[in-house]
Amino acid sequence: MALRARPPRLAALTALAALAAGPVAVLADVAPADARGRPWPGHPDRLLVGHVVRPGDTATGLATRYHAWTRELVALNHLDRAGTLRVGERVRIPVVVSALPKAKAPAAQAAPVAPPAADPATQGWRHWRMSRDQVREAVRREAQRRGVPVALAQAVAWQESGWHQPVTSAAGALGVMQVLPATGLWMSLYAGRPLDLRETHDNIRAGVTLLRVLLDETRSTRRAVAAYYQGLGAVRRHGIAPGSRPYVANVLAIRDRLAAERG
């Protein structure tokens, strides 16, 4: 995701650094007026927290810091596909309450939040309680099985969902790899069986298999990543679209960081 005042590569590294540091004090550096969350009607386990965009903020970085989903943040604030933020504007961040360290939950929580098992948003999902480390490892195994560079597959998964499964985009993309149902049917042909995108391992298989197909079809990592975001046909017809460039830059920056960590 991009902020005009900051290059996407630095934004991605900031987001990944927050992940590597482990749990953070989510509301520690937010002004008291911004730290008062309120329930998001119709969205169990979410509190809306206000934030005034500062230099260096990115949609991905804010989502990581507040334990929110990037796609929910983008949709809620009607941002463009690149998640562009403007310094000084106020955005609402849908904090996932169950993901917060208990001591850090907003004090003004207005109503008790149902336990995750009772959350309608998670109904139908399978193996959705896997930790980020478990998801990361599952992506690694599938990438090795499919001959996809591990760091690249993990970077796409992080960019798409932050290594979490029960996520649905406004466009209907599902899970860790944010795969559209139609794409899931396509990837099922390669898998030799129907893939359930609401099951974590199948979702990862669909997304990593798609990456394998795109790498084969484009013969270019950058174009394959762009095709993951904007579609293979669009890349073939028009090349990498301007709106896809921040996404591609973020994924490649995260890939490089992950590869460096692996040594």
Side-chain angles (χ1 to χ4, degrees):
M1 297 301 174
L3 174 71
R4 291 180 178 177
R6 188 172 193 176
R9 179 179 176 82
L10 294 181
L13 292 177
T14 299
L16 197 63
L19 168 66
V24 295
V26 177
L27 305 177
D29 62 348
V30 180
D34 291 338
R36 294 193 293 270
R38 59 184 178 81
W40 187 8
H43 296 78
D45 197 34
R46 300 292 190 274
L47 285 183
L48 297 180
V49 173
H51 177 87
V52 177
V53 177
R54 306 168 183 172
D57 282 344
T58 67
T60 301
L62 289 177
T64 300
R65 194 169 108 215
Y66 282 87
H67 290 277
W69 300 118
T70 301
R71 288 181 179 271
E72 287 186 353
L73 189 158
V74 168
L76 178 65
N77 293 283
H78 306 292
L79 304 180
D80 60 25
R81 291 190 65 187
T84 305
L85 298 173
R86 294 174 178 82
V87 174
E89 73 176 327
R90 185 179 180 84
V91 296
R92 294 174 297 166
I93 301 175
V95 178
V96 181
V97 177
S98 61
L100 290 173
K102 291 183 179 180
K104 301 299 182 181
Q109 183 175 334
V113 177
D119 184 351
T122 62
Q123 291 180 2
W125 296 96
R126 297 170 58 203
H127 302 131
W128 62 271
R129 286 192 176 92
M130 289 172 64
S131 69
R132 278 175 165 163
D133 285 343
Q134 289 173 327
V135 170
R136 179 178 181 172
E137 173 62 16
V139 174
R140 181 195 66 78
R141 291 196 300 267
E142 190 63 33
Q144 289 182 332
R145 192 174 295 123
R146 300 292 167 184
V148 173
V150 169
L152 178 63
Q154 290 174 334
V156 169
W158 169 253
Q159 176 71 23
E160 290 290 341
S161 70
W163 296 343
H164 285 287
Q165 170 68 355
V167 187
T168 304
S169 77
L174 300 169
V176 171
M177 304 298 291
Q178 287 293 280
V179 180
L180 289 167
T183 305
L185 291 174
W186 178 24
M187 292 303 103
S188 294
L189 299 177
Y190 288 88
R193 64 174 179 81
L195 295 176
D196 179 3
L197 298 182
R198 289 181 175 267
E199 196 280 324
T200 303
H201 300 284
D202 273 9
N203 188 283
I204 291 170
R205 173 165 292 188
V208 173
T209 302
L210 176 59
L211 266 178
R212 177 70 272 161
V213 171
L214 297 176
L215 287 166
D216 290 343
E217 292 291 329
T218 62
R219 302 294 180 181
S220 162
T221 298
R222 290 182 62 83
R223 288 171 64 85
V225 173
Y228 198 98
Y229 184 72
Q230 72 183 72
L232 178 59
V235 170
R236 282 173 168 168
R237 289 190 299 271
H238 308 296
I240 300 176
S244 300
R245 289 169 190 163
Y247 176 91
V248 174
N250 277 357
V251 168
L252 297 184
I254 295 168
R255 176 203 62 181
D256 293 346
R257 176 67 177 261
L258 291 168
E261 287 180 357
R262 294 178 64 207

